[in-house]
Amino acid sequence: LCLEVISHMPYNTGLFLSCLGVLPDIEQYFGINDGKSGLLQTVFICSYMFLAPVFGYLGDRYNRKLIMSVGIGFWSIVTLASSYTPREYFWLLLLTRGLVGVGEASYSTIAPTIIADLYVKERRTQMLSVFYFAIPVGSGLGYIVGSKVDDLAGDWHWALRVTPALGLVAVALLLFVVKEPKRGAIEARPEHTLQRTSWLGDMKALCRNPSFVLSSFGFTAVAFVTGSLALWAPAFLFRAAVFTKGRPPCIKGPCDTSDSLYFGIITVLSGILGVASGAEVSRRLRLRTPRADPLVCALGLLLSAPFLYLAIVFAQTSPIATYVFIFLGETFLSMNWAIVADILLYVVVPTRRSTAEAFQIVLSHLLGDAGSPYLIGVVSDSLKQTDSYLWQFRSLQLSLLTCSFVAVGGGAFFLATALFIEKDRQRAANYAPSACSGMQGAMLLANTVTPANYRCVRVSIERLTIVESNHR
């Protein structure tokens, strides 16, 4: 049952097995400050963000399996090439990080829409949960494998040479296991019954969809927080240990990567627990209210905020308490992943889903993790009064506190989504081609109802009823 879904996971997992687990070594190797370190994540996210609409447009119109295979193959080649960057060419490492975004854009934009065309309702949520397990699990494995490979090889470059093999596995599974389903076929509305509109028409329809827009802003907060933690949490924990004299500073590589290892383990466990519990809580709450999904997303963000705040504050006094609070904060943060994807899929019609995925990616990354790692680094540099171990730690600590407040704002957006979710879900479920709308629908209403025009008449009546209820 899960074969098609699992076949997507190796690439999604391998994506994060990069330089995040060895950031102190990279900073020492290239001699860069916090602001430039943040660019490693920002450049990748910006590339991914701007390419997502291109692949969203292609994914709604052409063979999705082929598009993903080409993108993942390119990602594997570029990732391997980035591991051979000379010390004097930090800009070249940034360039290859940007090119990695091609593979991510081709994959994450399209893959959820294939799952949407294979499953519906509760089963779709379950399969999306399986798929989105790969995000926290892959991220955690990035720290674990990256740090261990660095320790074994004594060279951080080898952390980037493990991942291309996973990309090739993903390509093989896509080509030989995954079948290309017809768009919307499983929803009793096959692809040929849904009229395609222009890209501009798709965007206008999406911008008039409150549930989609508000949930995208809520997910932007999730992206901001996870992007900041992904890059800076291990480095922050390392600086806290150096400040409290728990371990020596990194003067010459290889650096101590134990914090990356522990953070990776926490990320894997909290991700599995968070995604699974979010899907299960949502499933149970749906029996009581149709607004369950956005309410669970809001709850996850609002609960994560205080635990992340406590984790940052306790870093200088109790490492154990810090790791416990990080685990709780990441668990609640991970409750959103599968649910947000499911919200998009049932409030947007099948022929616009890849475009909607791309739009959500652009919005969430443009205002979220495209800038948050760099922003955290720049604020940290600006707050640093001296280059002492005290201010290396304190400035980054104060900068990271921003994440807790952003999480609260994201929770507010999901609460607002709950106000519109029922109406937008029904509108997507009752969607009909535009040939049955506007003037033609009015003309049909004025004539005799026949079997040929019955559907258009019914759709027109439903739309007039919605308009009338809105005026009331």
Side-chain angles (χ1 to χ4, degrees):
L1 180 65
C2 298
L3 189 58
E4 291 89 348
V5 180
I6 294 175
S7 66
H8 292 294
M9 293 179 64
Y11 169 71
N12 214 19
T13 302
L15 170 68
F16 293 98
L17 297 176
S18 56
C19 58
L20 300 185
V22 290
L23 183 60
D25 286 283
I26 293 176
E27 289 182 323
Q28 187 274 330
Y29 182 81
F30 288 103
I32 55 177
N33 58 20
D34 288 348
K36 289 185 177 179
S37 298
L39 283 176
L40 288 170
Q41 187 79 342
T42 297
V43 167
F44 159 71
I45 295 296
C46 286
S47 169
Y48 160 45
M49 174 183 66
F50 288 117
L51 288 170
V54 177
F55 286 103
Y57 178 87
L58 297 174
D60 277 337
R61 290 159 177 81
Y62 303 104
N63 187 290
R64 294 173 287 186
K65 191 169 72 169
L66 180 61
I67 294 171
M68 290 191 295
S69 299
V70 172
I72 296 171
F74 181 79
W75 169 86
S76 300
I77 294 172
V78 173
T79 301
L80 180 62
S82 68
S83 68
Y84 295 97
T85 306
R87 187 188 301 266
E88 299 80 12
Y89 295 94
F90 176 68
W91 64 268
L92 188 58
L93 181 64
L94 291 178
L95 176 62
T96 55
R97 285 287 291 171
L99 293 176
V100 166
V102 175
E104 170 65 357
S106 69
Y107 188 82
S108 62
T109 305
I110 298 173
T113 68
I114 293 182
I115 297 175
D117 289 331
L118 293 171
Y119 307 98
V120 292
K121 297 183 179 180
E122 287 78 11
R123 183 56 55 87
R124 175 189 288 171
T125 303
Q126 293 171 0
M127 294 301 102
L128 285 171
S129 298
V130 174
F131 175 74
Y132 281 104
F133 275 141
I135 292 179
V137 171
S139 182
L141 287 177
Y143 300 108
I144 295 170
V145 176
S147 61
K148 297 308 293 182
V149 169
D150 185 20
D151 290 341
L152 293 174
D155 184 356
W156 65 269
H157 293 86
W158 283 97
L160 300 178
R161 295 168 186 168
V162 177
T163 56
L166 290 173
L168 296 178
V169 171
V171 171
L173 288 172
L174 278 171
L175 293 176
F176 299 108
V177 175
V178 177
K179 297 180 180 179
E180 175 81 7
K182 289 187 178 295
R183 295 170 178 83
I186 199 169
E187 297 167 285
R189 292 188 303 169
E191 188 173 1
H192 65 270
T193 67
L194 296 175
Q195 181 175 346
R196 296 188 184 280
T197 55
S198 65
W199 182 83
L200 184 60
D202 289 344
M203 292 303 300
K204 288 181 179 179
L206 292 174
C207 291
R208 292 194 297 264
N209 189 326
S211 296
F212 170 73
V213 173
L214 291 170
S215 63
S216 295
F217 277 114
F219 189 66
T220 299
V222 178
F224 184 100
V225 176
T226 53
S228 301
L229 295 178
L231 187 72
W232 289 116
F236 172 69
L237 295 170
F238 176 78
R239 294 183 189 185
V242 171
F243 168 64
T244 58
K245 297 180 171 56
R247 73 178 54 113
C250 181
I251 299 175
K252 184 178 180 180
C255 303
D256 189 328
T257 58
S258 58
D259 291 305
S260 295
L261 176 64
Y262 299 147
F263 183 73
I265 294 172
I266 288 174
T267 300
V268 171
L269 297 178
S270 63
I272 293 174
L273 179 61
V275 173
S277 60
E280 181 62 19
V281 171
S282 176
R283 185 186 69 83
R284 292 177 179 272
L285 192 59
R286 284 175 186 172
L287 301 177
R288 298 188 177 185
T289 173
R291 300 176 178 177
D293 288 348
L295 291 178
V296 172
C297 290
L299 179 67
L301 274 169
L302 294 175
L303 288 176
S304 71
F307 288 114
L308 292 176
Y309 183 90
L310 291 173
I312 296 169
V313 170
F314 273 84
Q316 66 195 70
T317 57
S318 175
I320 295 177
T322 299
Y323 282 118
V324 170
F325 288 133
I326 289 177
F327 174 79
L328 293 173
E330 286 199 324
T331 297
F332 288 118
L333 197 64
S334 298
M335 292 175 66
N336 293 272
W337 290 106
I339 302 176
V340 170
D342 202 18
I343 289 174
L344 181 149
L345 294 172
Y346 65 64
V347 300
V348 176
V349 298
T351 53
R352 293 182 182 136
R353 283 173 179 164
S354 290
T355 300
E357 290 278 358
F359 181 81
Q360 189 174 81
I361 286 171
V362 170
L363 180 65
S364 61
H365 292 304
L366 179 65
L367 303 179
D369 54 354
S372 65
Y374 178 68
L375 177 64
I376 295 296
V378 169
V379 172
S380 175
D381 285 337
S382 66
L383 294 174
K384 197 179 298 178
Q385 298 183 7
T386 64
D387 199 26
S388 64
Y389 297 131
L390 166 64
W391 279 104
Q392 286 181 1
F393 162 72
R394 185 72 71 194
S395 61
L396 186 56
Q397 181 186 44
L398 295 173
S399 183
L400 283 172
L401 288 174
T402 308
C403 295
S404 297
F405 299 98
V406 173
V408 173
F413 277 114
F414 280 118
L415 289 176
T417 304
L419 300 175
F420 302 95
I421 196 73
E422 293 180 79
K423 182 185 297 184
D424 291 335
R425 189 207 301 256
Q426 292 175 358
R427 184 181 292 114
N430 297 326
Y431 172 79
S434 58
C436 297
S437 62
M439 185 62 68
Q440 183 174 349
M443 291 174 65
L444 287 168
L445 285 173
N447 294 304
T448 304
V449 177
T450 66
N453 64 22
Y454 170 75
R455 176 175 173 80
C456 288
V457 172
R458 181 173 60 82
V459 171
S460 299
I461 293 174
E462 290 174 354
R463 292 180 177 178
L464 289 172
T465 303
I466 293 174
V467 170
E468 184 179 356
S469 64
N470 289 339
H471 282 298
R472 289 178 180 175

